[in-house]
Amino acid sequence: MSKKLTIDFVLYLVVRLLICAVQALPLSTLKTLSIQLGWLCWHGLKLRRGVVEENLRIAFPDAPQEVRDRIALAMWKHLFLMICEIAHAPRKLHRTNWRQHSSISRMRDIVRHLISERPMVIISGHLGNFELGGYLLALHGFETHTIARPLDNVFLDEFVNRFRGATGQYMLPKHGSGPQITELLQQGGTLVLLGDQFAGKGGCWVEFFGKPASTHKAVAVFSLGSSAPTAVSAALRGENPLEFRMEIAAIADPAAADFQLPTVPLLTDWYTHNLEMMVRQHPDQYWWVHRRWKGDPSDRRRNRKPRVQQQAA
């Protein structure tokens, strides 16, 4: 076994031991522990503090500093509790008791699309317990496919994918899965995507909290190219751990007579706006630790100019 594989396997064992420790503790204890760890990360270790503060200044420029600090502290508590929920989910969430742990807003509308022969695209973000969103939907009886980048650690990657697929949520690689996605949508499958990831200079630039953010075009392309009904959703935690409401912010159907989002920019702006509205309602459950805003649309124009000159030459 190579040195890297050995290190990866040791790390995998450490993670499994930590998961066992978390599973041995009751959720009430883990909730208290998450509060303490959240305080440690924000006030003690100050992890990613600069990134979080910058993101919150962009999103809530008029909010007092103490309000932004409360959101940041609550976010760290949420992230630790999210990990604890994921560890407990396989033991506590089952097809026989999902009603005790989750509910779905606009259930009639979303189920009507999910059981039809047409494909469906569900767009979420780093909001609520996004890892359990597809897990819960599959637990309700609706198989989904999600695009994700494989983890560098092959042992952890296999373990995580085994968890994700336990109820009927299947993973597709981030690169090279185009033919599989096309086939999935042609067969009327359900594709779940994260719609708030930075897409680089060549992405579709739309406003998120009043500032341009580069967004992946493929999300809208999948919806428009397959004429798939598209929902914006998030698995939001309630008062207690492992209590979720799968919130459906909006649904758009490209086949509807009144559909007014026929282009990639329009559809991307639509779902980004709806994600923003949900984040505004639950800012403590959003992942402010990731860099959503990088550069600006002028980066794309500067990047395009050398290519145009090269083609002309």
Side-chain angles (χ1 to χ4, degrees):
M1 184 180 290
S2 69
K3 182 178 178 181
K4 181 182 183 307
L5 281 178
T6 302
I7 294 173
D8 286 349
F9 186 68
V10 171
L11 179 59
Y12 162 75
L13 290 178
V14 171
V15 171
R16 291 300 304 268
L17 287 172
L18 287 173
I19 290 174
C20 289
V22 169
Q23 290 174 334
L25 296 172
L27 284 169
S28 57
T29 300
L30 292 171
K31 183 177 180 180
T32 302
L33 185 60
S34 296
I35 293 173
Q36 295 169 347
L37 289 174
W39 188 95
L40 176 65
C41 283
W42 182 243
H43 290 294
L45 301 177
K46 299 182 179 181
L47 293 180
R48 307 273 298 175
R49 188 164 187 133
V51 174
V52 174
E53 288 182 333
E54 180 184 0
N55 287 339
L56 288 172
R57 278 195 299 269
I58 293 171
F60 305 105
D62 298 326
Q65 183 62 43
E66 57 268 23
V67 171
R68 293 200 292 264
D69 285 343
R70 282 200 298 270
I71 293 174
L73 179 59
M75 175 210 67
W76 278 112
K77 297 173 185 176
H78 160 71
L79 292 183
F80 281 110
L81 189 54
M82 171 180 160
I83 295 170
C84 297
E85 289 170 332
I86 293 170
H88 275 260
R91 297 185 175 189
K92 289 188 167 61
L93 297 180
H94 308 286
R95 296 191 189 280
T96 57
N97 69 352
W98 62 262
R99 288 179 177 84
Q100 300 171 26
H101 295 276
S102 67
S103 62
I104 304 178
S105 70
R106 301 182 62 177
M107 181 177 282
R108 183 183 297 273
D109 293 335
I110 195 73
V111 169
R112 176 168 55 85
H113 289 300
L114 287 169
I115 64 176
S116 75
E117 295 182 356
R118 296 175 61 196
M120 184 167 194
V121 174
I122 298 177
I123 302 172
S124 189
H126 291 88
L127 174 65
N129 196 323
F130 49 89
E131 273 292 341
L132 285 183
Y135 187 93
L136 285 168
L137 195 59
L139 199 63
H140 285 69
F142 303 108
E143 292 185 353
T144 63
H145 286 72
T146 302
I147 298 175
R149 185 183 73 81
L151 300 178
D152 295 331
N153 186 316
V154 293
F155 303 104
L156 285 176
D157 185 65
E158 181 183 354
F159 173 68
V160 169
N161 285 334
R162 196 161 58 242
F163 159 77
R164 289 168 167 170
T167 60
Q169 177 188 206
Y170 303 103
M171 307 310 296
L172 297 171
K174 188 172 183 179
H175 300 291
S177 60
Q180 292 172 274
I181 295 172
T182 300
E183 182 179 359
L184 169 71
L185 295 174
Q186 288 175 346
Q187 294 176 352
T190 300
L191 183 65
V192 179
L193 303 164
L194 289 176
D196 63 343
Q197 295 177 305
F198 176 69
K201 298 177 182 179
C204 180
W205 291 85
V206 295
E207 285 200 353
F208 186 54
F209 283 92
K211 182 174 180 177
S214 178
T215 309
H216 287 286
K217 301 173 185 176
V219 179
V221 169
F222 292 144
S223 296
L224 297 173
S226 60
S227 193
T230 301
V232 184
S233 176
L236 300 168
R237 183 187 301 110
E239 263 188 56
N240 300 309
L242 281 183
E243 288 184 3
F244 300 101
R245 178 169 178 80
M246 299 184 70
E247 191 67 35
I248 310 298
I251 302 175
D253 187 350
D258 59 348
F259 182 67
Q260 298 179 353
L261 308 166
T263 66
V264 169
L266 285 174
L267 188 61
T268 303
D269 182 70
W270 169 80
Y271 75 70
T272 301
H273 171 74
N274 280 285
L275 282 175
E276 179 186 321
M277 292 300 101
M278 285 196 292
V279 174
R280 286 188 180 277
Q281 293 170 7
H282 305 274
D284 56 315
Q285 294 190 39
Y286 190 63
W287 200 349
W288 298 106
V289 294
H290 82 303
R291 292 186 179 275
R292 182 65 188 95
W293 297 275
K294 297 180 185 178
D296 57 62
S298 63
D299 293 338
R300 181 181 179 182
R301 291 191 291 270
R302 285 194 296 268
N303 193 44
R304 183 189 301 166
K305 187 175 180 181
R307 290 204 304 267
V308 172
Q309 292 175 341
Q310 187 177 10
Q311 291 171 358

